[in-house]
Amino acid sequence: MLVDRSTIVEKVEKVIKSDGDWKKQLTPEQYHVTRKQGTEMAFTGEYWNNHEAGMYNCVCCGAPLFSSDTKFDSGTGWPSFWKPAVPENVATETDTTHGMRRTEVRCANCEAHLGHVFDDGPKPTGQRYCMNSASLKFNPKKD
């Protein structure tokens, strides 16, 4: 029996690597966003306008994070989702950088910075997980 791995949702184990190992694995932009809490410019990321069905995984460790089923056009220029596919794989913490108070979203498995979550999203959750494309790896759903 063939299994469509793009729809399998699972919790993955904690990933710990040295800074040098992350630099070897990631592109400079991926490293800047995920390991140094950077942000890509709006409307420039690979997935902000992606409408294919599939799963968005962590670019660093492969953890499944968000499903295309919960992706919506927020008008912000970043991929936005109204809930995580696997809540255990997504962690949040208070971010007070840049003179603002926001809720940072991280991969719970490798602590990669993914983006921020806001309370201005659509129903049913009212949340907008505003993610950086550079922090994600899209795996299209197989027919």
Side-chain angles (χ1 to χ4, degrees), residues 27-48:
T27 68
E29 182 180 28
Q30 290 169 336
Y31 176 80
H32 173 69
V33 168
T34 62
R35 308 324 300 177
K36 297 299 179 187
Q37 291 69 41
T39 301
E40 64 198 10
M41 290 181 57
F43 302 101
T44 65
E46 183 176 1
Y47 303 125
W48 77 269

Side-chain angles (χ1 to χ4, degrees), residues 11 46 120 140:
K11 172 96 170 97
E46 183 176 1
D120 61 0

Side-chain angles (χ1 to χ4, degrees), residues 15-62:
V15 174
I16 299 171
K17 292 185 179 184
S18 71
D19 198 51
D21 286 340
W22 287 124
K23 283 183 178 179
K24 289 178 192 172
Q25 176 184 330
L26 303 168
T27 68
E29 182 180 28
Q30 290 169 336
Y31 176 80
H32 173 69
V33 168
T34 62
R35 308 324 300 177
K36 297 299 179 187
Q37 291 69 41
T39 301
E40 64 198 10
M41 290 181 57
F43 302 101
T44 65
E46 183 176 1
Y47 303 125
W48 77 269
N49 200 27
N50 181 29
H51 301 288
E52 289 184 63
M55 184 66 64
Y56 292 84
N57 294 14
C58 178
V59 74
C60 293
C61 71

Side-chain angles (χ1 to χ4, degrees), residues 9-118:
V9 177
E10 57 192 39
K11 172 96 170 97
V12 296
E13 295 302 315
K14 199 77 153 162
V15 174
I16 299 171
K17 292 185 179 184
S18 71
D19 198 51
D21 286 340
W22 287 124
K23 283 183 178 179
K24 289 178 192 172
Q25 176 184 330
L26 303 168
T27 68
E29 182 180 28
Q30 290 169 336
Y31 176 80
H32 173 69
V33 168
T34 62
R35 308 324 300 177
K36 297 299 179 187
Q37 291 69 41
T39 301
E40 64 198 10
M41 290 181 57
F43 302 101
T44 65
E46 183 176 1
Y47 303 125
W48 77 269
N49 200 27
N50 181 29
H51 301 288
E52 289 184 63
M55 184 66 64
Y56 292 84
N57 294 14
C58 178
V59 74
C60 293
C61 71
L65 301 170
F66 298 96
S67 168
S68 61
D69 293 340
T70 63
K71 189 173 187 286
F72 68 98
D73 183 4
S74 65
T76 62
W78 289 281
S80 297
F81 307 86
W82 49 266
K83 79 171 187 175
V86 184
E88 298 84 7
N89 288 347
V90 176
T92 59
E93 60 185 60
T94 301
D95 174 4
T96 57
T97 60
H98 307 294
M100 297 180 273
R101 185 176 180 87
R102 302 178 290 176
T103 303
E104 179 184 11
V105 179
R106 291 182 167 269
C107 175
N109 304 298
C110 70
E111 299 182 356
H113 170 75
L114 305 172
H116 293 86
V117 62
F118 304 94

